[in-house]
Amino acid sequence: MTTTEDHVELVAELVRLLETRILDPLEILLASDEPIEPIRARLRVEAEVWAAQLLGPDRERAAMTAARLVGVFFPGDAAFDPPASWWRTAVGRAVARSMVHPAEAVPYSTAGAMLGITRQGVHDLVKRGKLDRHPDGGVTTSSIRDRLDRPQENTRAIARLDHR
């Protein structure tokens, strides 16, 4: 379950990424922001829609939206493998929730970033069987997604109990 604050934060971050990754380079190339203003207005509306899709209950739509945005914001020939700190951003958390992650497992530090807890917190959750350890090491992305799918009120209460 997501909150209005989650949505507002995600929209603001999407708008910042759109500005820096798409609109600013166009403005530089065109030497003017005049032709970009209608695009800027449209992308702000689209950011609202994308945030709703990323945070909404339709996992398939969330995954497809996340894949499209990651592909545009972070293009490249290599597999998408952002630093652990990226998973703490509003976009990173939304992508983690939709689980557009190319790996079956991630290191404890990345799992912690995706869940918003410390590496030690992840270790404790694995030890207690609340997250699944991958046979090759790390934490399974499916167990992270399952934990992120829980209603937020319950997750916060459980997180406090899990870390006592």
Side-chain angles (χ1 to χ4, degrees), residues 82-101:
S85 61
W86 181 81
W87 294 105
R88 289 185 182 93
T89 67
V91 173
R93 291 189 311 267
V95 170
R97 193 171 169 271
S98 69
M99 280 328 291
V100 178
H101 198 286

Side-chain angles (χ1 to χ4, degrees), residues 6-7 12 27 37 51-52 64 69 75 77 80 89 98 100 121-122 129 133 143 151:
D6 295 331
H7 180 85
E27 188 175 332
E37 284 309 313
M64 297 210 29
L69 292 172
D77 295 332
F80 179 63
T89 67
S98 69
V100 178
V122 171
R133 186 179 185 287
S143 71

Side-chain angles (χ1 to χ4, degrees), residues 9-76:
E9 181 184 12
L10 181 56
V11 169
E13 192 169 306
L14 287 170
V15 168
R16 276 193 305 278
L17 282 168
L18 290 165
E19 289 282 342
T20 59
R21 304 285 173 118
I22 296 171
L23 297 174
D24 289 350
L26 268 176
E27 188 175 332
I28 292 166
L29 286 172
L30 299 175
S32 170
D33 69 341
E34 186 179 328
I36 297 170
E37 284 309 313
I39 297 168
R40 179 174 280 118
R42 172 69 187 266
L43 288 176
R44 286 191 175 136
V45 170
E46 292 296 329
E48 291 279 352
V49 172
W50 295 327
Q53 291 172 343
L54 287 168
L55 300 174
D58 185 340
R59 288 292 175 217
E60 188 174 329
R61 175 166 283 184
M64 297 210 29
T65 300
R68 287 176 42 224
L69 292 172
V70 165
V72 169
F73 291 146
F74 309 101

Side-chain angles (χ1 to χ4, degrees), residues 120-143:
Q120 182 59 46
V122 171
H123 178 73
D124 291 345
L125 292 174
V126 169
K127 218 169 136 177
R128 294 178 181 180
K130 297 180 186 281
L131 287 173
D132 298 332
R133 186 179 185 287
H134 192 274
D136 296 332
V139 179
T140 65
T141 53
S142 61
S143 71

